[in-house]
Amino acid sequence: MTPIITIDGPSGTGKGTLAVRLAHHLGWHCLDSGALYRVLGLAAGRRAIDLEDAAALAELAAQLGVTFVDGRVLLNGEDLGDAIRTETAGMAASRVAAHPAVRAALLDWQRRQARGPGLVADGRDMGTVVFPQAPLKVFLDASADERAARRYKQLIGKGLSANLADLAVDIRERDTRDRNRPVAPLRPAAGALMVDSTALSINDVFELILEEVRRVFPDQVP
Ligand code: DC
């Protein structure tokens, strides 16, 4: 069976960075499942599909021509660049992701990403729904204010404008929707390693998780 590590948690905890770093360190594949919902939100916008139209969104999800190449996300061959990384794209992703039919349509595609030598899967329901059999499940959290502050720094660092108060409101709104939706709500999987990164650096969290990877997959860590 393919070794799998799932990393779930709300946005702004550093999940994505950690998943990529861990996958790189281990030489494993990485699944950024949030990007999938972000691409779907963007594709829906381009086709003027209403983000509440579950049937149309599920149909689009079922034939979404998305590929991940070296950290880039392509839609039907087109590199989407940072277009899927904006706050607006995150909010659209959270809205399309709330529809059970959309989640069902993306399930097989996500499971097919589990390929040797291993997979690090990052998202909201990787450990609870998509890969419940994963031997190592991590739930990464941080306070909403700290997550907003990190996001603020990230946007300013990219030369983009940002407003801390607006970001905090967005983060809380997204959290509420992701945690309260009827299907695959954001919550820790049974047996998940709980990590609160509020007062930890990315390096601290990386080392902490790597320690656990060594314990669970003793033959895999270089
Ligand atoms: O991790 P992210 O910020 O890129 O995710 C964007 C949105 O996609 C998030 O608000 C909720 C949704 N999502 C989800 O419902 N399930 C996942 N496994 C990953 C993301």
Side-chain angles (χ1 to χ4, degrees), residues 91-157:
M91 202 57 93
S94 173
R95 288 180 63 191
V96 300
H99 301 295
V102 165
R103 307 196 71 86
L106 294 175
L107 199 54
D108 279 351
W109 189 92
Q110 293 177 87
R111 289 191 173 144
R112 280 200 302 275
Q113 307 313 304
R115 287 170 281 129
L119 178 73
V120 183
D122 145 25
R124 302 291 185 290
D125 62 340
M126 298 295 98
T128 48
V129 175
V130 182
F131 303 111
Q133 81 285 12
L136 177 54
K137 304 183 184 91
V138 179
F139 192 85
L140 193 57
D141 211 343
S143 74
D145 285 343
E146 174 63 19
R147 291 186 280 126
R150 287 178 190 170
R151 184 74 182 130
Y152 178 80
K153 262 199 217 158
Q154 200 179 40
L155 290 171
I156 297 293

Side-chain angles (χ1 to χ4, degrees), residues 15 33-34 38 94 97 103 124-126 174 178 181:
K15 267 180 312 136
S33 61
R38 285 170 182 265
S94 173
R103 307 196 71 86
R124 302 291 185 290
D125 62 340
M126 298 295 98
R174 200 128 74 87
D178 294 349
R181 64 186 176 213

